[in-house]
Amino acid sequence: MSRRCELSGKAVMTGNNVSHANRKTRRRFLPNLCQVTLISDALGRQISLRVSAHALRSVEHNGGLDFFLLKASDAQLSSRVLKLKRQIEKAKTAVAA
């Protein structure tokens, strides 16, 4: 399992540890990933995802998983969540029609 957020695409970054003597050694900055279960109102079920704390705050700010996915661009979403987005769009159009 990769260290990548399924909603925001946030991944591992690299940089340097810089000592007091100004020596630089490579290091990794890991994203703050959490295993969460979010509820989709359109599908009427729970979805378990591995998301960053930043993306979780964004989901809450946008009013839930459905609204977040409908506003999100396809480039940053994982393939699993992209399929979920298509299901939500299909369910929303079926209710509207």
Side-chain angles (χ1 to χ4, degrees):
M1 187 180 287
S2 65
R3 288 190 170 105
R4 179 177 293 274
C5 175
E6 291 185 294
L7 295 179
S8 66
K10 190 175 287 233
V12 175
M13 292 175 52
T14 58
N16 290 315
N17 280 328
V18 181
S19 70
H20 186 67
N22 205 26
R23 291 189 55 142
K24 292 154 184 91
T25 55
R26 299 303 285 176
R27 65 162 291 179
R28 295 172 59 182
F29 295 95
L30 301 177
N32 184 10
L33 295 179
C34 310
Q35 184 73 33
V36 295
T37 302
L38 299 171
I39 298 170
S40 171
D41 295 329
L43 300 177
R45 63 185 174 103
Q46 298 177 345
I47 295 102
S48 180
L49 297 171
R50 192 168 185 209
V51 300
S52 64
H54 179 270
L56 190 58
R57 291 183 65 208
S58 297
V59 167
E60 294 298 323
H61 180 77
N62 285 314
L65 181 65
D66 296 341
F67 293 111
F68 178 82
L69 288 179
L70 293 176
K71 288 172 80 174
S73 66
D74 293 350
Q76 67 186 13
L77 299 175
S78 69
S79 60
R80 188 173 141 227
V81 175
L82 198 56
K83 193 161 74 171
L84 185 67
K85 179 180 177 179
R86 302 279 183 255
Q87 291 174 355
I88 290 171
E89 288 172 341
K90 189 174 180 181
K92 289 273 188 185
T93 57
V95 170

